[in-house]
Every structure is written in C-alpha cells, then in structure tokens.
Amino acid sequence: MKYQRIPAVGKEVDEKEVQRMADETQVAGINIGDAAIAARTEESLQRTEDMLYEGLKRGHDLPTVTASYLAQAGGKRFRPLTVFLAAQVVLAQNNPELLAEPLHENVIKAATVVEMVHLASLYHDDVMDEAEQRRGAESANSRWDNSVAILAGDYLFACASMFMADLGAEAVRITSQTFLELVNGQMEETIHAGDRGSVETYLSVIDGKTASLIATAGLFGAREAGADQTQQDAMHDAARAIGMAFQIVDDMIDIASDSDQSGKTPGTDLREGVFTLPVLYALEQEDEVGERLREILTGPVEDEALVEEALALLRNSEGMRRAREVVHNYRGMALEAISVFVESPARAAFESLIEFTVARAG
Ligand code: FPP
Ligand code: MG
C-alpha cells in the first residue's frame, strides 16, 4: 500500500513518512500511535529496568546473579508496559499537565514490583513444568537445578516486598491478594493436571495464575497516577480482560508456534497433561480430529511422536478457531471497560496494547 491514513494524524502521508512515524511510536514492538507517549513509556521501561537490577542487589551475590538471570534473558515487560499505559490514561483525564513530566517514581516502583513478582512466578513455574527453555535461553532449573531456581524465585519475591513496603500498606495488601490468586490458580492447575476438566475450570485457573497479576498492573498504574475508585475499578477490569486474552493466546502459541518464535518448548502443556482452551474445544469436535485427539489426550503425553501428532491435529482444529473467538470476546470486554475514560492519545495507546495482545492469536 502506498498511502495510508493514520487516524491520529488525519491526513494521508507517504510510505517513508508512515515508517518514520511508526518507528517513533513503537514501544516493545507495539505501535502505540503517539510519539510523546512512546518516549515517556520507553523512558519508564528503562527506569524500571535499572530499578529491577538495583533492587536485586541486596548484599547477597549468589541470589542476585541467579535472580537476575531470567530478567537478562529478555521478556516483553508486558506488565510494566500495562502499568505505564494505564497511568497515562488516568493522567490524561485527571492531570494532563503531569504528562509533560516523567512518570512519578512510585509508578516505576509499582511496575518493578509487578515484574519482580512475575519473574518469581516464572522461576517456580519452570520447576513445576520441568521446562528446559525460557525466553529463548536455558531455564534456571536447567542452568542450575530446581533448588536454585526455587530460591531465586523466593529472593525475587523478597526484593519485591522491599519495594512494596515503600508504596504503603494498601499496595502490600493488593500484591498479597494477587499472590494468593496466583498461587490458587497455579495450584488448581496442578491438582487438575491430567484431568480433561471443564472450560469453566480452565477460565478460573487462568484468571488466577495470569489475569490477576496483569489486572494488578492496570490497577497499580491507575492508583499511583491518582485515579478515583471508579477509574481504578475500570482499569482493573480492563487489565483483567487483557490478562485472560493474554493467557489464552499464550496457550494457543504453545500449540501453534515453534520454539524459535516463542522461546519456549512447544507442546509443554500436552506433556504436562494441562488441557488448555483450544484443546478442550478440540476434544469436543465430532469429527476425525476430535476422535483421534480423544484417543491421544487421556492425560500427560509422554511419547514425543504422539505430542507431534496431537500438535499437528490441533493446529488446524476447530478448537483453535473457537479459542480465538473467546480471545475476541475478552478484547471487547477490555475495550468496553476502558471506554469510561475520556478519549485521548493515552487511551488510544492502551487500546493498542489490547489489540497487540489479541493479534498474537493470529
Ligand atoms: C505460567 O503458566 C505460570 C504463571 C503465569 C503463574 C505461576 C504461578 C505460580 C508459580 C505461583 C506464584 C508464585 C510466585 C513466587 C509469585 P504457563 O506454564 O501456562 O506459561 P508458560 O508457557 O509461560 O510456562
Ligand atoms: Mg509453564
């Protein structure tokens, strides 16, 4: 396409101009449509990065090294991004003059807490999943062993708690509640591993193990930017819907991608006997695909040839299409929740985050 209409600009510009504008408005691979917001968000991500590594230096070398390992391996920093975009949506409505300044230190601290808790959960998750890869690198349990990986996760949570204390009692309460939800979701998944389970149980699991923390990212961004209760609730709801979509897409990627794309080993859920949404739907199919999957997927799949066969069947299944539909429903919920905020470039940027999350589902 030679020309393209950019909604925020409202005029036609040529290809080169489109590319230049897109470069200036990209953050972490997402085109958020506004150069000033992109620059502030980028700067905030850098401050979080610095705070994260500084915050892991608490005078103990070995835990500092092992707990920094997964952060150094990469990652999208999706949760900090959610914090910053949520904060800017609120500022654009309540205190637009503050958008001329860098985001408040406490917004950065809240983002660091969320990322540290997330990283902690990944160390523990990789032990439980016996995962060999994470973020395109060796998982910590492979690089060292299970004990070191568990302790590195504990250390991250301890460091996150130090920052939480600076944010006050309410932030401690919110994060503790989130921790409860994370553990509950993960425990529900662990206890039901190998069971076919229901869509309802699956949704409850991912609400706990993933959406709860992304919801908290939205809530923290709103809170630390001075949102009132209605605004906090709206942002909490929007980010929770994003979190639900995010995990369903992640589960679809576990089926559809190769490890070069995802940095993880595809088929992990099948090997662990975790029945994710596309699988649950595909198992309901009244055709040859459904029939064969019902034969193969009776619990954790150990035979690699069967994992490959199931993945190939799932990739083109009706289950994937239905899961994509559910992702689109959560997209609608997130957009609806965010619609209570006045229209602004910041709100449009948050909407881009929603679209980015959904687009990964293909
Ligand atoms: C990844 O799921 C796992 C999570 C998002 C949450 C794990 C939660 C815990 C381990 C409990 C909380 C613990 C701490 C220390 C905060 P997945 O296996 O489907 O995703 P993956 O493909 O990225 O491995
Ligand atoms: Mg995992």
Side-chain angles (χ1 to χ4, degrees), residues 216-234:
T216 295
L219 174 60
F220 267 153
R223 247 179 68 80
E224 299 302 337
D228 64 26
Q229 194 58 50
T230 311
Q231 292 172 326
Q232 287 184 35
D233 292 346

Side-chain angles (χ1 to χ4, degrees), residues 79 117-118 120-122 124-126 128-129 131 134 153-154 157 179 182-184 186 189 209-210 247 250-251 254 264 268-269:
R79 291 153 189 81
V117 172
H118 170 57
S121 79
L122 295 185
H124 288 191
D125 181 62
D126 284 344
M128 287 183 274
D129 286 354
R134 168 73 66 184
D154 294 343
F157 196 76
F179 201 178
L182 280 170
V183 171
N184 186 51
Q186 187 61 34
E189 177 177 289
K209 77 169 189 175
T210 305
Q247 185 60 48
D250 206 60
D251 293 339
D254 187 58
K264 300 186 252 189
T268 300
D269 295 324

